[in-house]
Amino acid sequence: MRSAFEVRCNADDQPFSGDELRTALAEADALCATVSDHIPAAVFPDAPRCRIIANFGVGVNHIDLAVARAKGVAVTNTPDVLTECTADLAMALILMSARRAGEGERMLRGGQWRGWRPTEMLGARVWGQTLGIVGMGRIGIALARRAHHGFGMRILCFSRSPVPVSVLGGLPAEQIDSLEALLPEVDFLSLHCPANAESHHLLNVARLALMRPTAHLINTSRGGVVDEQALADALSSSAIAGAGLDVYAAEPQVSEALLRLPNVVLLPHLGSATEATREAMGFRALENLKAFFAGKAPRDLCH
Ligand code: DGY
């Protein structure tokens, strides 16, 4: 970025406060933001100098897109380059939750392991089970590929609009008409829908109650898609068997109710956290900025 622009870095990597973001939008021609930079309407100055927010990440729910549009600020994101790594992490969470990997590691490190026993830490089989995917976009499809071809899983999916068969690339994924019809059918449910007003608390008390008591919920999308208190209640009452989470409603805070439970795997938003992917995200943001300031349409324009 320094080779193409005059860059001011957020050197200590602390999320900017509202005031710092307002100053950046008022003084810089472009802002390269991350998921930790909350940019609601109140943060936009009346007449921003900033003409583009090049988000370093695919999700843009932390930015008020309508206000950005109204103020003439373009917003871009970094799709594609994080698809495979995020799908890897969702698969890791399925395995960790089913096989109680977090619990087992805590027990071993805590010095409580007494050796192999026939009934110790029995988990659930992943091979051949049914996986439900909510949001059959790039990451949902990448997870479905892994689960079907690698783990012999049956794939059921639900998306806001039906996914054209050509997009599924030969995957035998059965599209289900409603979330209510999907939930009772799956052993694992993985969320891959964008966070917006429609998907807020999509997994609530009523819908969690439709899941099997043996089922596991996996979330690598956004925390707000799940009602965390309802999930904690479902896990503590054994209404569902387990969960694997990478995202939270109020990051970096994680609710005490979840932290106390043994049957939930909690990761710190690691979906795209590989060296290769984070580099690719950076280059994609740079490409968007260069195109914009060369007077071309950036390839990842969100509006
Ligand atoms: C994204 O890109 O939206 C991830 O959540 C962070 O990489």
Side-chain angles (χ1 to χ4, degrees):
M1 284 212 182
R2 282 201 173 104
S3 70
F5 302 102
E6 185 200 321
V7 178
R8 284 186 217 158
C9 283
N10 177 349
D12 62 1
D13 225 2
Q14 291 294 320
F16 275 177
S17 66
D19 282 345
E20 286 169 321
L21 284 167
R22 194 173 305 107
T23 305
L25 289 166
E27 293 180 357
D29 299 302
L31 176 67
C32 193
T34 75
V35 59
S36 307
D37 298 309
H38 298 282
I39 313 183
V43 156
F44 284 86
D46 288 339
R49 170 171 172 165
C50 178
R51 291 164 54 214
I52 176 169
I53 299 174
N55 188 57
F56 178 82
V58 69
V60 286
N61 59 303
H62 52 291
I63 303 169
D64 191 323
L65 293 181
V67 172
R69 189 181 304 121
K71 301 254 180 198
V73 181
V75 178
T76 59
N77 66 349
T78 61
D80 306 323
V81 292
L82 44 66
T83 300
E84 303 299 340
C85 283
T86 307
D88 283 348
L89 198 87
M91 196 68 230
L93 283 171
I94 291 175
L95 291 164
M96 287 182 78
S97 186
R99 302 302 303 273
R100 303 173 62 182
E103 244 182 296
E105 212 216 15
R106 285 195 295 279
M107 179 183 77
L108 184 148
R109 285 182 186 273
Q112 287 135 16
W113 189 36
R114 294 193 283 127
W116 193 95
R117 288 182 292 138
T119 55
E120 183 174 53
M121 296 219 68
L122 302 185
R125 186 162 73 163
V126 173
W127 170 264
Q129 303 299 291
T130 299
L131 170 65
I133 297 183
V134 178
M136 204 59 167
R138 298 178 191 85
I139 299 171
I141 292 174
L143 173 64
R145 260 193 270 115
R146 284 158 175 73
H148 178 72
H149 296 300
F151 294 86
M153 296 180 94
R154 176 181 173 217
I155 309 295
L156 305 182
C157 60
F158 168 73
S159 276
R160 236 176 352 167
S161 25
V163 184
V165 175
S166 59
V167 173
L168 294 175
L171 259 179
E174 300 162 49
Q175 305 201 42
I176 309 295
D177 291 341
S178 71
L179 194 49
E180 281 67 21
L182 175 75
L183 294 173
E185 301 299 321
V186 302
D187 301 303
F188 297 90
L189 183 78
S190 193
L191 304 176
H192 298 283
C193 48
N196 51 37
E198 207 183 318
S199 66
H200 184 71
H201 286 189
L202 193 68
L203 265 281
N204 55 17
V205 177
R207 294 206 175 104
L208 285 164
L210 294 175
M211 292 179 71
R212 297 177 178 175
T214 49
H216 294 252
L217 173 70
I218 307 301
N219 191 9
T220 54
S221 63
R222 283 292 183 266
V225 177
V226 177
D227 176 343
E228 284 178 355
Q229 188 55 53
L231 174 62
D233 292 344
L235 287 165
S236 60
S237 64
S238 302
I240 67 170
L245 308 178
D246 189 42
V247 287
Y248 307 90
E251 295 179 12
Q253 262 88 51
V254 178
S255 83
E256 278 300 319
L258 288 174
L259 286 168
R260 275 195 302 268
L261 290 167
N263 52 345
V264 54
V265 179
L266 303 168
L267 296 183
H269 205 145
L270 294 179
S272 65
T274 65
E275 244 177 86
T277 288
R278 289 283 162 86
E279 258 187 29
M281 287 161 66
F283 281 112
R284 190 80 171 230
L286 177 59
E287 187 187 327
N288 285 318
L289 287 169
K290 280 183 169 171
F292 182 84
F293 287 107
K296 300 181 197 143
R299 73 194 273 198
D300 304 315
L301 206 50
C302 299
H303 66 71

